[in-house]
Short mmCIF file of all heavy atoms in Angstrom, two decimals:
data_model
loop_
_atom_site.label_atom_id
_atom_site.label_comp_id
_atom_site.label_asym_id
_atom_site.label_seq_id
_atom_site.Cartn_x
_atom_site.Cartn_y
_atom_site.Cartn_z
N TYR A 1534 -6.78 -21.17 44.15
CA TYR A 1534 -5.66 -21.16 45.18
C TYR A 1534 -4.57 -22.18 44.87
O TYR A 1534 -3.43 -21.90 45.05
CB TYR A 1534 -6.25 -21.30 46.54
CG TYR A 1534 -6.97 -20.00 47.17
CD1 TYR A 1534 -7.06 -18.88 46.43
CD2 TYR A 1534 -7.42 -20.20 48.45
CE1 TYR A 1534 -7.71 -17.79 46.95
CE2 TYR A 1534 -8.14 -19.01 49.05
CZ TYR A 1534 -8.23 -17.82 48.34
OH TYR A 1534 -8.87 -16.88 48.86
N ALA A 1535 -4.98 -23.25 44.40
CA ALA A 1535 -4.00 -24.38 44.28
C ALA A 1535 -3.07 -23.91 43.05
O ALA A 1535 -1.85 -24.09 43.18
CB ALA A 1535 -4.68 -25.58 43.89
N GLN A 1536 -3.60 -23.28 41.97
CA GLN A 1536 -2.83 -22.74 40.88
C GLN A 1536 -1.83 -21.69 41.34
O GLN A 1536 -0.73 -21.61 40.96
CB GLN A 1536 -3.67 -22.33 39.67
CG GLN A 1536 -2.85 -21.94 38.59
CD GLN A 1536 -2.07 -23.04 37.88
OE1 GLN A 1536 -2.47 -24.21 38.11
NE2 GLN A 1536 -0.98 -22.65 37.28
N LEU A 1537 -2.46 -20.80 42.13
CA LEU A 1537 -1.51 -19.63 42.70
C LEU A 1537 -0.42 -20.12 43.53
O LEU A 1537 0.78 -19.63 43.46
CB LEU A 1537 -2.44 -18.63 43.47
CG LEU A 1537 -3.36 -17.84 42.71
CD1 LEU A 1537 -4.38 -17.22 43.61
CD2 LEU A 1537 -2.70 -16.65 41.99
N HIS A 1538 -0.71 -21.31 44.31
CA HIS A 1538 0.32 -21.84 45.18
C HIS A 1538 1.36 -22.51 44.23
O HIS A 1538 2.58 -22.36 44.57
CB HIS A 1538 -0.37 -22.82 46.13
CG HIS A 1538 0.68 -23.46 47.01
ND1 HIS A 1538 0.83 -24.79 47.13
CD2 HIS A 1538 1.41 -22.95 47.97
CE1 HIS A 1538 1.70 -25.07 48.05
NE2 HIS A 1538 2.08 -23.96 48.65
N ALA A 1539 0.92 -23.18 43.27
CA ALA A 1539 1.85 -23.93 42.41
C ALA A 1539 2.79 -22.94 41.53
O ALA A 1539 3.91 -23.16 41.29
CB ALA A 1539 1.15 -24.71 41.43
N GLU A 1540 2.29 -21.66 41.34
CA GLU A 1540 3.07 -20.70 40.66
C GLU A 1540 3.93 -19.87 41.60
O GLU A 1540 4.77 -19.03 41.15
CB GLU A 1540 2.24 -19.81 39.86
CG GLU A 1540 1.52 -20.48 38.68
CD GLU A 1540 0.58 -19.53 37.91
OE1 GLU A 1540 0.50 -18.27 38.34
OE2 GLU A 1540 0.02 -20.02 36.80
N GLY A 1541 3.74 -20.09 42.95
CA GLY A 1541 4.62 -19.44 43.85
C GLY A 1541 4.06 -18.02 44.31
O GLY A 1541 4.84 -17.32 44.97
N PHE A 1542 2.87 -17.76 43.90
CA PHE A 1542 2.24 -16.44 44.38
C PHE A 1542 1.86 -16.48 45.80
O PHE A 1542 1.80 -15.43 46.36
CB PHE A 1542 1.15 -15.99 43.38
CG PHE A 1542 1.72 -15.44 42.13
CD1 PHE A 1542 1.86 -16.26 40.98
CD2 PHE A 1542 2.20 -14.24 41.89
CE1 PHE A 1542 2.32 -15.90 39.83
CE2 PHE A 1542 2.65 -13.68 40.69
CZ PHE A 1542 2.78 -14.61 39.68
N ILE A 1543 1.41 -17.61 46.22
CA ILE A 1543 0.82 -17.64 47.75
C ILE A 1543 1.33 -18.77 48.37
O ILE A 1543 1.81 -19.78 47.77
CB ILE A 1543 -0.80 -17.79 47.74
CG1 ILE A 1543 -1.33 -19.14 47.09
CG2 ILE A 1543 -1.45 -16.50 46.88
CD1 ILE A 1543 -2.74 -19.35 47.27
N GLY A 1544 1.37 -18.81 49.70
CA GLY A 1544 1.76 -19.92 50.45
C GLY A 1544 0.48 -20.50 51.22
O GLY A 1544 -0.50 -19.63 51.42
N ARG A 1545 0.44 -21.57 51.57
CA ARG A 1545 -0.64 -22.20 52.41
C ARG A 1545 -0.20 -23.07 53.50
O ARG A 1545 0.71 -23.92 53.37
CB ARG A 1545 -1.49 -23.17 51.39
CG ARG A 1545 -1.79 -22.48 50.06
CD ARG A 1545 -2.89 -23.12 49.34
NE ARG A 1545 -4.18 -23.03 49.83
CZ ARG A 1545 -5.33 -23.66 49.31
NH1 ARG A 1545 -5.26 -24.46 48.35
NH2 ARG A 1545 -6.45 -23.22 49.80
N ARG A 1546 -0.72 -22.90 54.61
CA ARG A 1546 -0.44 -23.68 55.81
C ARG A 1546 -1.74 -24.22 56.38
O ARG A 1546 -2.71 -23.49 56.68
CB ARG A 1546 0.30 -22.80 56.85
CG ARG A 1546 1.82 -22.48 56.45
CD ARG A 1546 2.53 -22.00 57.73
NE ARG A 1546 2.03 -20.73 58.17
CZ ARG A 1546 2.50 -19.58 57.78
NH1 ARG A 1546 3.47 -19.38 56.91
NH2 ARG A 1546 2.03 -18.44 58.27
N VAL A 1547 -1.60 -25.47 56.92
CA VAL A 1547 -2.76 -26.14 57.47
C VAL A 1547 -3.06 -25.40 58.72
O VAL A 1547 -2.27 -25.08 59.59
CB VAL A 1547 -2.59 -27.67 57.71
CG1 VAL A 1547 -3.77 -28.23 58.45
CG2 VAL A 1547 -2.29 -28.44 56.35
N GLY A 1548 -4.35 -25.02 58.86
CA GLY A 1548 -4.70 -24.27 60.06
C GLY A 1548 -4.58 -22.75 60.09
O GLY A 1548 -5.12 -22.11 60.92
N SER A 1549 -3.70 -22.28 59.17
CA SER A 1549 -3.50 -20.86 59.03
C SER A 1549 -3.98 -20.29 57.88
O SER A 1549 -4.05 -18.96 57.65
CB SER A 1549 -1.98 -20.59 59.05
OG SER A 1549 -1.46 -21.06 60.27
N GLY A 1550 -4.41 -20.97 56.85
CA GLY A 1550 -5.16 -20.48 55.64
C GLY A 1550 -4.03 -20.20 54.56
O GLY A 1550 -2.85 -20.59 54.54
N SER A 1551 -4.34 -19.21 53.70
CA SER A 1551 -3.53 -18.96 52.50
C SER A 1551 -3.07 -17.54 52.74
O SER A 1551 -3.78 -16.55 53.14
CB SER A 1551 -4.31 -19.01 51.25
OG SER A 1551 -4.83 -20.40 51.06
N PHE A 1552 -1.96 -17.12 52.15
CA PHE A 1552 -1.28 -15.78 52.28
C PHE A 1552 -0.43 -15.53 51.16
O PHE A 1552 0.03 -16.42 50.52
CB PHE A 1552 -0.58 -15.65 53.57
CG PHE A 1552 0.40 -16.86 53.87
CD1 PHE A 1552 1.80 -16.61 53.44
CD2 PHE A 1552 0.02 -17.91 54.47
CE1 PHE A 1552 2.69 -17.54 53.53
CE2 PHE A 1552 0.93 -18.91 54.59
CZ PHE A 1552 2.33 -18.74 54.12
N VAL A 1553 -0.26 -14.21 50.87
CA VAL A 1553 0.68 -13.90 49.77
C VAL A 1553 2.15 -14.27 50.17
O VAL A 1553 2.49 -13.93 51.15
CB VAL A 1553 0.60 -12.33 49.51
CG1 VAL A 1553 1.53 -11.96 48.35
CG2 VAL A 1553 -0.81 -11.92 49.14
N ALA A 1554 2.82 -14.81 49.11
CA ALA A 1554 4.06 -15.32 49.46
C ALA A 1554 5.14 -14.12 49.63
O ALA A 1554 4.90 -13.11 48.98
CB ALA A 1554 4.66 -16.27 48.29
N GLU A 1555 6.23 -14.31 50.33
CA GLU A 1555 7.26 -13.46 50.37
C GLU A 1555 8.28 -13.71 49.19
O GLU A 1555 8.90 -14.66 49.22
CB GLU A 1555 8.07 -13.64 51.71
CG GLU A 1555 7.12 -13.47 53.02
CD GLU A 1555 7.02 -11.92 53.45
OE1 GLU A 1555 7.69 -11.18 52.76
OE2 GLU A 1555 6.26 -11.56 54.27
N MET A 1556 8.30 -12.81 48.28
CA MET A 1556 9.14 -12.96 47.12
C MET A 1556 10.20 -11.98 47.15
O MET A 1556 10.00 -10.76 46.80
CB MET A 1556 8.30 -12.89 45.83
CG MET A 1556 7.31 -13.98 45.69
SD MET A 1556 6.16 -13.63 44.30
CE MET A 1556 5.01 -12.46 45.03
N THR A 1557 11.34 -12.30 47.88
CA THR A 1557 12.47 -11.32 48.02
C THR A 1557 13.02 -10.77 46.81
O THR A 1557 13.57 -9.62 46.79
CB THR A 1557 13.61 -12.06 48.85
OG1 THR A 1557 13.99 -13.20 48.09
CG2 THR A 1557 13.07 -12.48 50.22
N GLU A 1558 13.02 -11.41 45.64
CA GLU A 1558 13.64 -10.95 44.41
C GLU A 1558 12.52 -10.13 43.54
O GLU A 1558 12.91 -9.67 42.45
CB GLU A 1558 14.07 -12.15 43.49
CG GLU A 1558 15.07 -12.99 44.10
CD GLU A 1558 16.41 -12.16 44.56
OE1 GLU A 1558 16.75 -11.41 43.65
OE2 GLU A 1558 16.99 -12.36 45.70
N PHE A 1559 11.47 -9.92 44.14
CA PHE A 1559 10.33 -9.21 43.41
C PHE A 1559 9.71 -8.12 44.21
O PHE A 1559 9.41 -8.29 45.34
CB PHE A 1559 9.14 -10.26 43.02
CG PHE A 1559 7.96 -9.57 42.51
CD1 PHE A 1559 7.97 -9.06 41.23
CD2 PHE A 1559 6.82 -9.54 43.30
CE1 PHE A 1559 6.82 -8.44 40.92
CE2 PHE A 1559 5.74 -8.99 42.89
CZ PHE A 1559 5.63 -8.43 41.57
N THR A 1560 9.71 -6.98 43.55
CA THR A 1560 9.14 -5.76 44.17
C THR A 1560 7.84 -5.57 43.41
O THR A 1560 7.81 -5.19 42.27
CB THR A 1560 9.99 -4.51 44.10
OG1 THR A 1560 11.30 -4.84 44.79
CG2 THR A 1560 9.37 -3.32 44.78
N PRO A 1561 6.63 -5.68 44.14
CA PRO A 1561 5.38 -5.49 43.54
C PRO A 1561 5.38 -4.06 42.78
O PRO A 1561 5.80 -3.10 43.44
CB PRO A 1561 4.29 -5.65 44.64
CG PRO A 1561 4.99 -6.37 45.68
CD PRO A 1561 6.49 -6.11 45.58
N ARG A 1562 4.86 -4.15 41.61
CA ARG A 1562 4.88 -2.80 40.88
C ARG A 1562 3.70 -1.85 41.44
O ARG A 1562 2.66 -2.51 41.72
CB ARG A 1562 4.75 -2.99 39.43
CG ARG A 1562 3.44 -3.84 38.94
CD ARG A 1562 3.45 -3.89 37.41
NE ARG A 1562 2.43 -4.58 36.87
CZ ARG A 1562 2.59 -5.83 36.41
NH1 ARG A 1562 3.70 -6.47 36.43
NH2 ARG A 1562 1.56 -6.46 36.05
N ARG A 1563 4.07 -0.65 41.60
CA ARG A 1563 3.01 0.23 41.98
C ARG A 1563 1.88 0.41 40.98
O ARG A 1563 2.14 0.13 39.79
CB ARG A 1563 3.68 1.68 42.31
CG ARG A 1563 4.40 2.28 41.04
CD ARG A 1563 5.09 3.48 41.52
NE ARG A 1563 5.83 3.99 40.40
CZ ARG A 1563 5.41 4.66 39.35
NH1 ARG A 1563 4.18 4.82 39.15
NH2 ARG A 1563 6.38 5.15 38.39
N ARG A 1564 0.70 0.78 41.33
CA ARG A 1564 -0.32 0.98 40.39
C ARG A 1564 0.09 2.11 39.41
O ARG A 1564 0.77 3.09 39.68
CB ARG A 1564 -1.60 1.49 41.09
CG ARG A 1564 -2.15 0.33 41.97
CD ARG A 1564 -3.57 0.70 42.53
NE ARG A 1564 -4.07 -0.47 43.28
CZ ARG A 1564 -4.82 -1.50 42.63
NH1 ARG A 1564 -4.97 -1.46 41.35
NH2 ARG A 1564 -5.31 -2.34 43.36
N LEU A 1565 -0.41 2.03 38.13
CA LEU A 1565 -0.09 3.03 37.11
C LEU A 1565 -0.59 4.39 37.54
O LEU A 1565 -1.77 4.63 37.96
CB LEU A 1565 -0.77 2.55 35.79
CG LEU A 1565 -0.14 1.48 35.23
CD1 LEU A 1565 -0.90 1.07 33.92
CD2 LEU A 1565 1.32 1.70 34.71
N SER A 1566 0.27 5.39 37.56
CA SER A 1566 -0.15 6.74 37.73
C SER A 1566 -0.77 7.16 36.42
O SER A 1566 -0.67 6.64 35.38
CB SER A 1566 1.06 7.57 38.12
OG SER A 1566 2.03 7.67 37.00
N GLN A 1567 -1.39 8.45 36.43
CA GLN A 1567 -1.97 9.04 35.31
C GLN A 1567 -0.88 9.21 34.24
O GLN A 1567 -1.04 9.03 33.00
CB GLN A 1567 -2.72 10.30 35.64
CG GLN A 1567 -3.33 10.83 34.46
CD GLN A 1567 -4.18 12.15 34.76
OE1 GLN A 1567 -4.04 12.59 35.91
NE2 GLN A 1567 -4.98 12.58 33.87
N ARG A 1568 0.35 9.66 34.65
CA ARG A 1568 1.47 9.83 33.76
C ARG A 1568 1.81 8.47 32.97
O ARG A 1568 2.06 8.45 31.85
CB ARG A 1568 2.68 10.42 34.46
CG ARG A 1568 3.84 10.57 33.55
CD ARG A 1568 5.01 11.21 34.30
NE ARG A 1568 4.74 12.50 34.72
CZ ARG A 1568 5.68 13.18 35.56
NH1 ARG A 1568 6.89 12.74 35.81
NH2 ARG A 1568 5.39 14.43 35.91
N ASP A 1569 1.80 7.38 33.91
CA ASP A 1569 2.24 6.04 33.33
C ASP A 1569 1.15 5.69 32.25
O ASP A 1569 1.56 5.17 31.24
CB ASP A 1569 2.31 4.99 34.45
CG ASP A 1569 3.48 5.23 35.36
OD1 ASP A 1569 4.46 5.73 34.96
OD2 ASP A 1569 3.25 4.94 36.67
N ALA A 1570 -0.16 5.90 32.61
CA ALA A 1570 -1.07 5.56 31.69
C ALA A 1570 -0.99 6.32 30.36
O ALA A 1570 -1.14 5.75 29.29
CB ALA A 1570 -2.48 5.69 32.31
N LEU A 1571 -0.57 7.52 30.48
CA LEU A 1571 -0.55 8.38 29.27
C LEU A 1571 0.61 7.98 28.41
O LEU A 1571 0.57 7.97 27.25
CB LEU A 1571 -0.43 9.86 29.65
CG LEU A 1571 -1.66 10.45 30.13
CD1 LEU A 1571 -1.36 11.98 30.68
CD2 LEU A 1571 -2.81 10.68 29.10
N SER A 1572 1.71 7.54 29.13
CA SER A 1572 3.02 7.17 28.39
C SER A 1572 2.77 5.90 27.49
O SER A 1572 3.45 5.67 26.56
CB SER A 1572 4.09 6.97 29.38
OG SER A 1572 3.91 5.73 30.14
N ARG A 1573 1.80 5.09 27.87
CA ARG A 1573 1.54 3.93 27.16
C ARG A 1573 0.92 4.25 25.75
O ARG A 1573 0.97 3.36 24.88
CB ARG A 1573 0.41 2.98 27.86
CG ARG A 1573 1.04 2.35 29.03
CD ARG A 1573 0.08 1.18 29.49
NE ARG A 1573 0.64 0.40 30.54
CZ ARG A 1573 0.13 -0.62 31.17
NH1 ARG A 1573 -1.13 -0.93 30.80
NH2 ARG A 1573 0.77 -1.36 32.03
N ASN A 1574 0.44 5.44 25.71
CA ASN A 1574 -0.29 5.94 24.31
C ASN A 1574 0.74 6.67 23.53
O ASN A 1574 0.48 7.18 22.48
CB ASN A 1574 -1.39 6.65 24.67
CG ASN A 1574 -2.58 5.81 25.23
OD1 ASN A 1574 -2.69 4.73 24.87
ND2 ASN A 1574 -3.28 6.36 26.19
N GLN A 1575 1.99 6.86 24.06
CA GLN A 1575 3.04 7.65 23.26
C GLN A 1575 3.62 6.84 22.22
O GLN A 1575 3.61 5.68 22.28
CB GLN A 1575 4.10 8.21 24.22
CG GLN A 1575 3.47 9.38 25.20
CD GLN A 1575 4.45 9.74 26.24
OE1 GLN A 1575 5.64 9.21 26.38
NE2 GLN A 1575 4.21 10.84 27.09
N ALA A 1576 4.26 7.47 21.33
CA ALA A 1576 5.09 6.76 20.28
C ALA A 1576 6.05 5.85 20.78
O ALA A 1576 6.83 6.27 21.72
CB ALA A 1576 5.60 7.94 19.28
N PRO A 1577 6.17 4.65 20.22
CA PRO A 1577 7.11 3.77 20.77
C PRO A 1577 8.57 4.19 20.30
O PRO A 1577 8.78 4.97 19.36
CB PRO A 1577 6.80 2.49 20.07
CG PRO A 1577 6.09 2.83 18.84
CD PRO A 1577 5.33 4.14 19.21
N ASN A 1578 9.57 3.74 21.16
CA ASN A 1578 10.98 4.12 20.87
C ASN A 1578 11.54 3.13 19.93
O ASN A 1578 12.09 2.15 20.32
CB ASN A 1578 11.72 4.10 22.25
CG ASN A 1578 13.14 4.62 22.05
OD1 ASN A 1578 13.38 5.34 21.00
ND2 ASN A 1578 14.05 4.26 22.90
#
Side-chain angles (χ1 to χ4, degrees):
Y1534 279 4
Q1536 183 62 30
L1537 287 165
H1538 183 241
E1540 292 179 356
F1542 284 97
I1543 68 173
R1545 310 193 77 182
R1546 287 195 296 266
V1547 177
S1549 300
S1551 303
F1552 53 89
V1553 178
E1555 299 281 351
M1556 293 172 279
T1557 56
E1558 300 299 319
F1559 168 73
T1560 303
R1562 58 175 176 258
R1563 57 186 172 79
R1564 291 186 178 275
L1565 289 175
S1566 66
Q1567 187 175 9
R1568 178 181 295 178
D1569 293 327
L1571 288 173
S1572 70
R1573 287 189 171 185
N1574 298 320
Q1575 292 175 353
N1578 186 21

